[in-house]
Amino acid sequence: MTDKTQGAAPTPPYRRPETPLLDKAVIPPQLRALKPEQLRQLADELRAEMIDAVSVTGGHLGAGLGVVELSVALHYVFNTPDDKLIWDVGHQAYPHKILTGRRDRMRTLRQGGGLSGFTRRSESEYDPFGAAHSSTSISAALGFAIANKLSGGPNKAIAVIGDGAMSAGMAYEAMNNAREAGNRLIVVLNDNDMSIAPPVGALSAYLARAYSSNTFLEIRDAVRQLAKKALPEPLKAPAKRADEFFRTLGTGGTLFEELGFYYVGPIDGHNLDVLVPILENIRDAAEGPCLIHVVTKKGKGYAPAEAAADKYHGVVKFDVVTGKQHKPAPGGPPSYTGVFADALVAEATRDPRVVAITAAMPSGTGLDKFQKAFPDRCFDVGIAEQHAVTFAAGLAAEGFRPWAAIYSTFLQRAYDQVVHDVCIQNLPVRFGIDRAGLVGADGSTHAGSFDVTYLATLPNMVVMAAADEAELVHMVHTANEYDAGPIALRYPRGEGVGVPLPATPEKLEIGKGRIVREGKKVAILSLGTRLAEALKAADELDAKGLSTTVADLRFAKPLDEALIRKLCASHEVVLTIEENAIGGFGAHVLTLASDEGLLDTGLKIRTMRLPDVFQEHDSPAKQYAEAGLDAAGIVKTVLTTLRHNSVDVSEGARA
Ligand SMILES: Cc1ncc(C[n+]2csc(CCOP(=O)(O)OP(=O)(O)O)c2C)c(N)n1
Ligand SMILES: CC(=O)[C@@H](O)[C@H](O)COP(=O)(O)O
Ligand SMILES: [Mg+2]
């Protein structure tokens, strides 16, 4: 067979696209100066520019590709920044950022000192509200709308919320109050029939009906035409009612109409000839809060994204021509997420009581592996962390062994459910807490900085932190076998340290730590994966004649009190370190020491923890160095504490 590629012209090398209109539309007032017929070209240029930028930075791609036309239409029709445009989650806001004066910084995205990957008030007047955790946009927009109403201003508030984000209760709490805002509140439901994974639950089925029945749409259009005709008076009202009836029947409208919204949709969210006039009508004529249901495609306009199962929701750097992402070569240490998932599947294979719950993050938590192995025992509840926790409590109450696998930062959303439904009732829910500690590019909104603080303070709760991937395997087994009450284990984003994984998991003794390295003068009590840096620091301290013990305490609650007492009694300096903010492991050790008078002997204790600031996005290594939680920071803390002659401890140097 002849080789079809013979003689075919070689693929031309990729070149950054020409963007003549986008060059003119640096900020929305300039965009609004364009002619309507130029908007389609502007959108095409915007999409090409975004693909080019994200190919060199990585980040969230699919969602932004789906709202290119919507971003153009919203900034064209509304008087931003006076009209407040609020993006839910904000991961889809790259086109918005390019259109609002940040195009020149797009290639700094999610890097130290660079643009945030989400909307940020501090970044632009066009970002009236920060986001990243989902389903907050309608509440925020309602706040802006009512503020405008009270101050008599003319401005509108527009919330753009995805179908995934619409599965969270907070969105309904806000819509339940929307009537107050009158016509100042506009909600754009961006329905691309995707969350990170395919959407789940009754709502997505409800919305899907909107654009599924052709018959329905044909009848509806006929009635709509009729309603528009100049009908004799007695027929006008019934025709209008018929139009209203069809406009909302099963199209997702009824739900929103009942909540007090004027529902418009579903409309094609990629067709500017439809979007612009409808948005203009709503801007000028709506009498009350309005919800526009736009149907879009996640990954639109970029074939590799459209073809991908996840629509390129989150990508690393990639080749624009082929779409091939530059992922790390295989063969390195496994990810903590992967180790957790494999360990949980192993537990579930042995134990039919094991069930797993994710809040719309099957791939992020690794539960997609569990879902494949045990489809009937895995539940994706949508973006509904509060429901996930109490749902798990119900399962535990009936004798199952439920695992709620939720990122540290997203578990914050379900804190009262942890306290009220799990801990007070002492129900044996297992919490697999991924993304504990600093997470890098997603920055402050996604850092898992507080879970040791907010969990270890709770009676009945057990809190473990894996020091490496082998420890994680032991902890999954330990937690699964623990039925005496709630238990949480935390582990970071990213890869392990490369230790061999145990063939058989060990059931750890609850509340017992381990000495990893014996020393005499300094004792470092480590919780979690700072252990590797602690061991490096110990080598450096030994070289300075400061013999150092390193212990992995494994549990923030209950503490290994005997081990702590022993180390406090036999060392001059005791230092705790954790990937958590103040009020966590170190605070509990200090409380023990003060309760038991361990400080009365002149013992020097220092706690090392995350600083009392929301650290900006950067690489995790740089973030930890900035926090002083690397080997250099540990060494410096010890030397300063000992006023060691190798450290200049004069006032000026201590800064
Ligand atoms: C409270 C919370 N839980 C989970 C996430 C993780 N997350 C980010 S985007 C996303 C899916 C959002 O789906 P949708 O709103 O439909 O937006 P799309 O990506 O489809 O544009 C999820 C689950 C989050 N940001 N916030
Ligand atoms: C936008 C959002 O909240 C998620 O996509 C999140 O960024 C995922 O984080 P990981 O990349 O750590 O899974
Ligand atoms: Mg979606």
Side-chain angles (χ1 to χ4, degrees):
M1 188 164 91
T2 54
D3 172 359
K4 287 205 175 66
T5 56
Q6 275 173 355
T11 312
Y14 169 71
R15 285 180 54 246
R16 193 165 156 183
E18 302 292 321
T19 55
L21 287 182
L22 194 60
D23 298 345
K24 285 189 194 143
V26 177
I27 53 171
Q30 294 162 348
L31 184 165
R32 293 192 275 266
L34 295 178
K35 297 190 188 70
E37 57 272 22
Q38 291 179 301
L39 296 182
R40 159 51 58 206
Q41 182 190 330
L42 175 68
D44 292 344
E45 292 178 12
L46 175 58
R47 181 171 274 112
E49 170 69 5
M50 184 183 137
I51 292 167
D52 181 85
V54 181
S55 74
V56 299
T57 63
H60 292 98
L61 182 64
L65 287 171
V67 296
V68 165
E69 289 77 14
L70 187 58
S71 304
V72 169
L74 287 166
H75 282 295
Y76 183 78
V77 170
F78 291 99
N79 180 34
T80 54
D82 296 347
D83 288 335
K84 305 300 176 197
L85 178 55
I86 296 161
W87 295 92
D88 205 284
V89 181
H91 64 312
Q92 79 289 63
Y94 298 2
H96 159 81
K97 292 196 177 209
I98 293 169
L99 291 174
T100 53
R102 287 169 276 183
R103 177 185 178 184
D104 59 334
R105 299 190 62 216
M106 279 306 287
R107 288 160 182 79
T108 69
L109 192 72
R110 294 159 44 97
Q111 297 149 55
L115 286 181
S116 163
F118 307 101
T119 51
R120 296 286 297 276
R121 285 171 53 84
S122 58
E123 199 173 277
S124 166
E125 61 176 334
Y126 288 94
D127 292 4
F129 208 73
H133 285 202
S134 84
S135 319
T136 61
S137 59
I138 303 174
S139 298
L142 189 53
F144 281 99
I146 298 289
N148 259 302
K149 186 177 168 188
L150 292 173
S151 53
N155 301 321
K156 309 274 186 188
I158 306 106
V160 183
I161 183 167
D163 56 307
M166 197 56 107
S167 64
M170 186 173 176
Y172 297 89
E173 293 169 14
M175 289 194 288
N176 190 39
N177 281 262
R179 209 184 289 272
E180 307 276 334
N183 65 356
R184 295 171 188 279
L185 174 68
I186 294 157
V187 173
V188 180
L189 170 55
N190 172 34
D191 184 0
N192 55 19
D193 198 25
M194 275 294 282
S195 183
I196 293 182
V200 294
L203 181 81
S204 67
Y206 186 80
L207 294 178
R209 270 207 300 277
Y211 32 86
S212 55
S213 72
N214 292 325
T215 323
F216 160 73
L217 294 175
E218 280 154 19
I219 299 172
R220 185 191 67 170
D221 289 348
V223 169
R224 182 180 276 170
Q225 295 317 319
L226 187 68
K228 277 189 190 143
K229 284 198 182 340
L231 293 171
E233 202 47 44
L235 288 180
K236 267 189 182 161
K240 190 168 182 302
R241 273 201 303 279
D243 172 33
E244 178 91 5
F245 172 72
F246 277 101
R247 191 163 45 73
T248 61
L249 177 72
T251 66
T254 315
L255 170 67
F256 303 110
E257 294 271 339
E258 291 306 309
L259 285 169
F261 283 84
Y262 182 78
Y263 170 86
V264 177
I267 60 173
D268 177 353
H270 298 298
N271 184 339
L272 284 158
D273 299 335
V274 168
L275 275 174
V276 170
I278 285 181
L279 289 172
E280 285 171 336
N281 286 341
I282 283 163
R283 178 195 63 194
D284 302 335
E287 281 125 38
C290 194
L291 184 136
I292 313 156
H293 179 184
V294 298
V295 177
T296 62
K297 205 179 199 182
K298 195 165 185 177
K300 172 82 176 176
Y302 186 52
E306 291 188 5
D310 69 352
K311 307 301 174 198
Y312 275 25
H313 171 84
V315 293
V316 294
K317 298 176 185 176
F318 62 90
D319 177 309
V320 174
V321 175
T322 64
K324 191 171 178 341
Q325 295 185 54
H326 305 320
K327 296 203 170 175
S335 69
Y336 283 99
T337 303
V339 169
F340 168 75
D342 292 342
L344 190 59
V345 167
E347 293 298 325
T349 306
R350 284 193 292 270
D351 182 347
R353 293 167 296 177
V354 175
V355 290
I357 299 155
T358 175
M361 305 289 285
S363 55
T365 58
L367 286 196
D368 49 353
K369 271 188 195 168
F370 189 103
Q371 211 163 27
K372 282 201 187 77
F374 304 102
D376 299 339
R377 292 156 60 187
C378 191
F379 302 91
D380 178 352
V381 297
I383 308 181
E385 288 83 4
Q386 296 173 333
H387 162 60
V389 170
T390 305
F391 173 49
L395 283 157
E398 274 297 275
F400 279 86
R401 287 179 160 179
W403 282 81
I406 302 176
Y407 288 13
S408 170
T409 189
F410 298 143
L411 185 58
Q412 291 163 188
R413 188 155 278 186
Y415 190 50
D416 187 54
Q417 285 73 19
V418 173
V419 178
H420 180 265
D421 300 322
V422 176
C423 289
I424 290 178
Q425 300 188 101
N426 199 30
L427 289 169
V429 172
R430 284 83 173 162
F431 293 94
I433 301 177
D434 202 335
R435 278 43 173 200
L438 299 171
V439 296
D442 270 345
S444 55
T445 53
H446 283 60
S449 305
F450 311 110
D451 59 86
V452 179
T453 302
Y454 68 69
L455 292 176
T457 195
L458 299 176
N460 298 332
M461 178 61 84
V462 172
V463 180
M464 295 188 280
D468 56 41
E469 57 271 39
E471 283 290 296
L472 180 54
V473 174
H474 297 317
M475 289 183 176
V476 169
H477 180 58
T478 302
N480 200 56
E481 294 303 305
Y482 181 77
D483 288 318
I487 187 165
L489 60 105
R490 71 183 321 241
Y491 45 96
R493 186 178 200 274
E495 283 64 44
V497 296
V499 295
L501 295 181
T504 313
E506 204 187 306
K507 185 176 169 182
L508 304 174
E509 188 181 343
I510 298 295
K512 285 290 166 236
R514 58 179 178 139
I515 291 183
V516 180
R517 173 203 175 105
E518 295 280 0
K520 291 193 176 60
K521 190 178 183 65
V522 178
I524 302 174
L525 312 186
S526 169
L527 182 83
T529 56
R530 286 297 94 193
L531 180 65
E533 292 299 310
L535 289 168
K536 271 190 223 155
D539 289 339
E540 291 177 38
L541 290 165
D542 270 11
K544 294 176 185 294
L546 300 170
S547 163
T548 298
T549 296
V550 178
D552 169 18
L553 270 287
R554 283 174 163 162
F555 293 80
K557 185 168 197 177
L559 287 175
D560 185 340
E561 296 186 356
L563 178 57
I564 293 168
R565 279 189 209 99
K566 177 171 157 242
L567 294 174
C568 286
S570 53
H571 291 74
E572 191 179 329
V573 176
V574 169
L575 185 149
T576 67
I577 187 164
E578 62 196 292
E579 293 152 345
N580 188 81
I582 194 165
F585 167 62
H588 288 261
V589 171
L590 269 182
T591 303
L592 173 70
S594 78
D595 288 353
E596 300 196 355
L598 303 180
L599 300 170
D600 306 353
T601 59
L603 168 71
K604 297 181 183 68
I605 291 191
R606 298 290 182 273
T607 63
M608 295 187 74
R609 69 268 174 191
L610 292 174
D612 186 24
V613 291
F614 290 107
Q615 283 184 256
E616 296 293 351
H617 45 279
D618 206 327
S619 70
K622 286 193 182 149
Q623 289 182 313
Y624 279 117
E626 184 186 41
L629 296 183
D630 56 1
I634 295 169
V635 169
K636 185 176 176 192
T637 301
V638 171
L639 297 181
T640 308
T641 303
L642 286 171
R643 305 178 72 77
H644 192 274
N645 52 25
S646 69
V647 166
D648 174 357
V649 288
S650 58
E651 271 318 300
R654 204 169 302 166

